[in-house]
Amino acid sequence: MTGEIDWVEIAPRAPHRYTIIWMHGLGADGHDFESIVPELGLPDDLGIRFCFPNAPVRPVTINDGMAMRAWYDIMDMSLERQVDKAGIAESSTSILKLIDREIEGGVSSENILLAGFSQGGVIALDAGLKCPHRLAGILALSCYLPTWPEIVPALSEVNRSFPIMMAHGSFDNVVAREAGRAAFEALTSMGYSVDWKEYPMAHSVCLEEVQDIADFIRQCFHLEGYV
């Protein structure tokens, strides 16, 4: 437990060298992306620990105030939406504490990758860009960056050159492609190395994307020749 966050863990069979902290989307939980691990086709002896945190349960305005797992509240679905900045900051702080826990456990910060889908991708970006420790990179799937440009003063200088992969569905009717592209363009304008990938899908993950994710993980952990 880290604050209010607990998580689902897939421990490595080999000695623990790398950690991927992967945040789920609205209304899901830490089990949501468990099944993607074998699909990535990463060798068992790499020593990668997968940590899937559970978002806290909170009322969500767009769902009539129903309580569900959410990294932050969503007030409306427009591109100009009102943003729950306090909720995002709270969740990002919890993930930064989880990163600290991994480092204290003996994992180099440069061997820690943040990943997330939808709301989880927002937190991966927000926390990763502010993290004071040098990370391996950020994998941001079907998401956007609602804290831009307010986040700019908090950007971490040590993570200015790490790799970021953003992936989005061309037909996403939950998080508009334009919102994802706006985040990509804002980050590239600031000099970040961002790889934008787009797939003919809705708000989901496809097989081609899974292969690209696996390649990105190898790149971040400098394992490109390791099969």
Side-chain angles (χ1 to χ4, degrees):
M1 183 74 72
T2 302
E4 298 181 0
I5 280 190
D6 59 4
W7 55 86
V8 174
E9 177 180 340
I10 298 180
R13 296 182 182 178
H16 180 196
R17 297 178 57 203
Y18 307 96
T19 298
I20 297 176
I21 301 173
W22 197 315
M23 280 71 75
H24 61 76
L26 176 65
D29 62 21
H31 294 286
D32 198 38
F33 277 89
E34 270 187 299
S35 61
I36 203 172
V37 175
E39 295 179 15
L40 293 172
L42 298 170
D44 291 337
D45 60 352
L46 292 181
I48 300 176
R49 173 179 179 265
F50 286 84
C51 175
F52 300 102
N54 286 305
V57 175
R58 70 178 80 222
V60 176
T61 301
I62 60 166
N63 289 338
D64 297 322
M66 184 182 300
M68 61 186 63
R69 291 200 179 277
W71 296 106
Y72 54 92
D73 189 19
I74 297 181
M75 288 73 157
D76 65 78
M77 295 300 291
S78 68
L79 288 177
E80 299 78 21
R81 68 184 71 181
Q82 183 180 352
V83 178
D84 177 17
K85 297 175 184 176
I88 293 172
E90 175 188 333
S91 290
S92 288
T93 297
S94 294
I95 298 305
L96 291 172
K97 289 179 179 178
L98 189 51
I99 292 171
D100 287 339
R101 174 187 176 274
E102 291 297 299
I103 295 170
E104 290 166 5
V107 178
S108 167
S109 67
E110 295 187 23
N111 287 345
I112 299 173
L113 171 68
L114 293 188
F117 175 80
S118 195
Q119 266 205 343
V122 169
I123 301 304
L125 283 172
D126 190 82
L129 292 169
K130 295 188 295 189
C131 184
H133 309 292
R134 169 71 184 193
L135 299 175
I138 300 175
L139 174 63
L141 310 175
S142 302
C143 67
Y144 62 121
L145 190 55
T147 53
W148 194 272
E150 291 88 346
I151 194 178
V152 172
L155 294 174
S156 169
E157 290 301 320
V158 299
N159 286 315
R160 285 283 185 170
S161 60
F162 67 177
I164 301 171
M165 173 179 160
M166 296 190 69
H168 218 101
S170 304
F171 312 119
D172 195 326
N173 60 350
V174 176
V175 177
R177 169 192 173 279
E178 290 76 14
R181 284 287 304 185
F184 162 72
E185 290 166 3
L187 289 170
T188 53
S189 73
M190 291 284 292
Y192 286 93
S193 175
V194 187
D195 187 10
W196 172 267
K197 294 185 180 297
E198 197 168 319
Y199 309 91
M201 64 179 186
H203 194 63
S204 59
V205 177
C206 65
L207 290 176
E208 181 184 355
E209 183 179 12
V210 170
Q211 182 57 60
D212 288 337
I213 290 170
D215 291 342
F216 180 71
I217 292 172
R218 286 189 172 93
Q219 173 196 346
C220 289
F221 293 154
H222 307 290
L223 300 167
E224 292 92 336
Y226 203 112
V227 293

